[in-house]
Amino acid sequence: MFSLGSWLPLFPGLAWGWALLDALLQGLVGACAVSVLCSLLKIYLYIQCVNSPQRQEEKEAIRAQRALLETLHLLVLTGVLAMVGARVAALVVLEFSLRAVSTLLSLGKDSHSTRLYLLCQFSLGCGVSCALSFLLDGAPHRTSSLALAAGLAGLLALQCQRLARHVCALYELHSRGRYCGLCILLLAHGHGLPWLLRRALAVAFAVADLAAVQLINHGFLSATEALRFWTPLTICYALLVVYMQEEARQSADGGPVFQTVLVRMGGLFILLLTVGRWSDVLHVFLSLLGELWCLLRARVLLQSCRSQ
């Protein structure tokens, strides 16, 4: 591991040796967080479809999702998160946080958007990666800590996937028979899953936002250089938030998802062309691939959210 960096090619934002292992472990923790989110949303939406006779086709579509594809999704997302640089990951986190706050304010205090939880998948992975980079910066046992975090995150993601498969296969039978503790618990309190996710995501993004600001400011040598970067960034993000809100008002289903991703990444790409580094531009393309991969994997759940 120590001699890899002497002969392997360089890649922007990616180092070899122990640094590569750390990046992969951070990406794995972020991908596991996304997997837990999707599994809990899958459980919630499946229960909603079971309780609605008009949504039987959606129920069968959710049940038909294969476990092998979930593993593939986890591996691909781990690789993408490992290659995305901390600077661009921090920008993705800040952009989504502003968009989420704007959306929640427009919905009202006692409302929630299940669709917003699906749209935050890649941003959540970037947020977890940023938080780990900041919290473990300079730690003497960084790799060991990341390995422990990856093990715990993997175990949690695996249990949530098993729970989702159990619900999709046996929830209808067990909820009628009242002899499965998990299904009875979901029958009584399954409607509260969005509120649980909302609180958990609020804490996760609060920590990620603090870490993102620190990671971005860490690369500046002076206040003038930082101001030269933050001013166009603030203007760009403000315009993006206004655009997203206008699209949501004009569209009955909340706006075209893939068009929104292209507009957001396009704005970030143009911004980094002017005030960023060339490696940041490459990481924007990787972020675009990560966003599209997450949305393609969750397209069945997104359709269920629209009908809900």
Side-chain angles (χ1 to χ4, degrees):
M1 292 291 290
F2 288 106
S3 61
L4 284 175
S6 61
W7 58 275
L8 288 174
L10 296 177
F11 186 84
L14 186 63
W16 301 107
W18 292 112
L20 174 60
L21 179 60
D22 290 348
L24 288 173
L25 290 174
Q26 285 183 193
L28 179 59
V29 176
C32 288
V34 175
S35 177
V36 170
L37 173 66
C38 291
S39 296
L40 294 179
L41 285 174
K42 182 178 180 180
I43 292 170
Y44 171 72
L45 291 172
Y46 183 84
I47 293 174
Q48 296 299 308
C49 292
V50 169
N51 296 333
S52 177
Q54 296 80 15
R55 302 175 63 182
Q56 297 306 303
E57 293 183 3
E58 298 173 25
K59 182 191 72 175
E60 295 301 325
I62 294 175
R63 179 186 290 177
Q65 292 182 309
R66 299 178 181 270
L68 181 61
L69 294 179
E70 295 178 357
T71 304
L72 177 63
H73 173 71
L74 184 69
L75 294 176
V76 173
L77 189 56
T78 297
V80 173
L81 290 173
M83 290 188 291
V84 172
R87 184 184 176 100
V88 172
L91 293 175
V92 170
V93 171
L94 293 176
E95 184 273 332
F96 177 80
S97 298
L98 290 175
R99 187 157 46 96
V101 170
S102 176
T103 301
L104 292 176
L105 290 177
S106 64
L107 287 174
K109 181 179 179 180
D110 298 325
S111 301
H112 68 271
S113 175
T114 309
R115 184 171 175 268
L116 184 64
Y117 302 151
L118 289 171
L119 297 180
C120 82
Q121 294 178 74
F122 187 73
S123 300
L124 175 62
C126 290
V128 171
S129 181
C130 287
L132 289 174
S133 297
F134 175 71
L135 295 175
L136 296 177
D137 185 24
H141 302 290
R142 176 186 176 91
T143 303
S144 301
S145 300
L146 286 172
L148 178 60
L152 294 175
L155 181 61
L156 181 60
L158 179 62
Q159 293 301 319
C160 288
Q161 289 180 5
R162 291 179 60 186
L163 177 60
R165 289 195 290 269
H166 174 83
V167 169
C168 291
L170 299 171
Y171 174 78
E172 292 182 83
L173 176 63
H174 288 174
S175 60
R176 288 195 298 266
R178 304 295 178 93
Y179 57 83
C180 173
L182 285 175
C183 293
I184 293 174
L185 180 65
L186 290 172
L187 180 64
H189 303 287
H191 61 278
L193 278 176
W195 299 105
L196 175 64
L197 289 175
R198 182 172 182 172
R199 294 185 178 94
L201 289 173
V203 174
F205 276 101
V207 176
D209 289 337
L210 293 175
V213 172
Q214 292 296 325
L215 288 174
I216 294 175
N217 287 333
H218 184 70
F220 298 128
L221 300 177
S222 64
T224 304
E225 186 180 356
L227 184 63
R228 192 181 300 119
F229 179 84
W230 281 107
T231 301
L233 177 67
T234 304
I235 297 173
C236 177
Y237 279 0
L239 293 176
L240 281 175
V241 168
V242 172
Y243 173 80
M244 301 305 167
Q245 291 298 318
E246 187 63 26
E247 284 291 321
R249 292 191 195 98
Q250 294 179 1
S251 179
D253 61 356
V257 175
F258 294 100
Q259 179 182 340
T260 299
V261 173
L262 293 175
V263 171
R264 288 170 43 223
M265 291 301 169
L268 188 58
F269 174 78
I270 295 173
L271 174 68
L272 292 177
L273 278 178
T274 57
V275 296
R277 296 185 288 263
W278 74 270
S279 59
D280 294 334
V281 176
L282 178 60
H283 294 156
V284 170
F285 282 111
L286 290 173
S287 299
L288 175 61
L289 293 177
E291 289 270 13
L292 294 177
W293 177 257
C294 290
L295 293 178
L296 285 172
R297 180 69 184 92
R299 62 185 182 277
V300 173
L301 301 181
L302 285 169
Q303 293 173 357
S304 180
C305 289
R306 292 194 188 99
S307 62
Q308 184 185 18

